[in-house]
Amino acid sequence: MKLIIQIPCLNEAEVLPETLAKLPRSLPGVDTIEYCIIDDGSSDDTSGVARRWGVHHVVRHRGNRGLAEAFRSGIDKCLSEGADIIVNTDADGQYEGADIAKIVAPVVAGEADICIGDRSVGNNAHFGPFKRLLQRLGSYVVRTLSATEITDAVSGFRAISRDAAQRINITTDFSYTTDMLIQAGRKRLSITSVPVRTHAATRPSRLFKSIPRFIQQTGVTILRAYTTFNALRVFVGLGALATVLGLMPIARFLWFFANGDGDGHIQSLVIGGALLIIGVLVSVLGILADLIATNRKLLEANMLKLRRIEERLDHSGGASEDHSVSTADRRQVRRRA
């Protein structure tokens, strides 16, 4: 079994050696451990430091694309290198390298597809009271929407099986953490968490500029991910709400009309009618969105099959005695994927 530990980096040349030194060299049930650095457009020598420290795989972005894109690039690289398990951790030393054994264990044992490192946000000494409150509130929302039991939804310290990594398609440009959990929960993947140790932050976060900005971006990510997988429920719910609101002024008009005073309240009828029309239109949008979501599921299933076909082609060298595959065929498979 092959484990690849990926670390997204942005100007981490100074702290990266210490982080790499703490990574495990062997783990129970794992035959091979390799490291992958994703240099997300660093202006320092992050890539050079990684190579000098013997990192097996270095992926470099010419410009800064953001954490979600760095995570995607890392997953693609790890899968192409044959990883059976992928661990994602931070470069700034927030997580204890020795705890990788904890989050890998459930995946190695086949008990979980994804294991999250739980930082115990409710009583973490490195978090202030306001941050603890936000973390707990955000985790509750994600836990509810994803139908999972994860108590630390935004922890980036996680182990992912090969099958889960192939099934997850990150759609956000901000942070992959909540998007990934909602997808995994709705796709019925097995998710668990284990308590892990954390260290005090050595620098301000490079993911977001301020707490309000983080709340805004995370809220948009959660809403988009939930709507993607529950389009019918969201749009029909909004349509039903508009319909109920529309019935209220109509009922008001009918009351006055029944009492012979309908002429002065025609505006209630107009407003109610408009809301009823909006409710119907939004509900129809929900049906269309649900059809699109169904097509998305079919496309994702086909992408998964094509990825596995491409992997088999790569491992076989593109040809065998009984089944020869031309270069043109391989390119066609990649284009379809």
Side-chain angles (χ1 to χ4, degrees):
M1 184 171 287
K2 184 175 185 178
L3 165 68
I4 298 183
I5 302 171
Q6 70 168 37
I7 308 176
C9 295
L10 176 62
N11 297 325
E12 305 287 6
E14 184 176 346
V15 298
L16 187 58
E18 183 178 356
T19 300
L20 292 172
K22 293 181 179 179
L23 296 180
R25 268 57 183 175
S26 63
L27 290 172
V30 176
D31 302 309
T32 305
I33 298 179
E34 296 179 356
Y35 312 130
C36 176
I37 295 298
I38 305 96
D39 183 351
D40 190 27
S42 297
S43 57
D44 63 5
D45 192 31
T46 294
S47 294
V49 169
R51 293 188 179 94
R52 288 193 292 274
W53 272 77
V55 171
H56 305 82
H57 315 288
V58 177
V59 179
R60 176 167 173 77
H61 295 165
R62 292 188 180 90
N64 179 246
R65 302 181 188 177
L67 181 58
E69 185 63 31
F71 178 81
R72 275 193 295 260
S73 296
I75 292 294
D76 290 342
K77 179 62 175 176
C78 292
L79 289 175
S80 69
E81 295 296 335
D84 297 298
I85 303 175
I86 302 169
V87 165
N88 186 86
T89 187
D90 288 351
D92 60 3
Q94 176 186 172
Y95 303 109
E96 179 63 46
D99 285 346
I100 289 177
K102 292 183 179 181
I103 65 172
V104 166
V107 182
V108 171
E111 299 171 354
D113 297 303
I114 300 171
C115 183
I116 309 294
D118 188 339
R119 299 169 295 174
S120 302
V121 294
N123 54 15
N124 192 305
H126 303 304
F127 294 170
F130 185 57
K131 185 174 182 179
R132 291 179 194 171
L133 177 62
L134 285 178
Q135 295 279 11
R136 294 174 65 181
L137 178 61
S139 294
Y140 171 77
V141 172
V142 174
R143 185 165 61 249
T144 302
L145 297 182
S146 63
T148 63
E149 297 299 325
I150 301 305
T151 55
D152 188 4
V154 297
S155 171
F157 195 35
R158 50 188 65 188
I160 312 160
S161 70
R162 182 177 187 84
D163 181 67
Q166 291 173 328
R167 294 177 184 274
I168 297 296
N169 298 290
I170 302 301
T171 58
T172 180
D173 294 327
F174 179 61
S175 175
Y176 62 89
T177 53
T178 53
D179 186 11
M180 177 180 170
L181 274 181
I182 292 175
Q183 283 195 46
R186 293 299 166 179
K187 292 179 179 180
R188 307 295 179 91
L189 296 176
S190 176
I191 311 171
T192 189
S193 63
V194 295
V196 296
R197 294 165 289 178
T198 59
H199 303 288
T202 57
R203 55 166 174 75
S205 172
R206 291 171 180 164
L207 176 61
F208 55 91
K209 301 296 184 182
S210 64
I211 295 295
R213 176 69 172 173
F214 174 77
I215 295 174
Q216 176 190 352
Q217 292 283 11
T218 302
V220 170
T221 298
I222 293 173
L223 181 61
R224 181 188 294 120
Y226 183 77
T227 303
T228 297
F229 291 94
N230 300 273
L232 186 62
R233 179 181 300 179
V234 171
F235 282 98
V236 171
L238 291 174
L241 177 61
T243 300
V244 170
L245 293 176
L247 289 174
M248 293 170 63
I250 290 177
R252 179 177 183 271
F253 168 78
L254 292 176
W255 169 264
F256 285 107
F257 181 79
N259 288 277
D261 191 25
D263 292 342
H265 302 281
I266 193 69
Q267 66 273 19
S268 296
L269 184 63
V270 173
I271 294 173
L275 287 172
L276 285 178
I277 294 173
I278 292 174
V280 171
L281 291 176
V282 172
S283 297
V284 171
L285 286 176
I287 296 173
L288 295 176
D290 187 61
L291 294 175
I292 294 173
T294 300
N295 286 332
R296 174 193 171 94
K297 293 178 182 178
L298 295 174
L299 289 172
E300 288 184 338
N302 288 331
M303 287 177 61
L304 179 61
K305 292 178 181 178
L306 289 171
R307 283 174 178 172
R308 291 174 175 173
I309 291 172
E310 187 174 21
E311 288 170 7
R312 288 198 293 269
L313 294 177
D314 290 337
H315 292 159
S316 65
S320 66
E321 183 177 349
D322 297 325
H323 303 281
S324 61
V325 182
S326 67
T327 302
D329 290 335
R330 289 163 58 83
R331 290 175 179 170
Q332 186 176 12
V333 168
R334 289 192 175 96
R335 284 198 298 271
R336 289 177 179 174

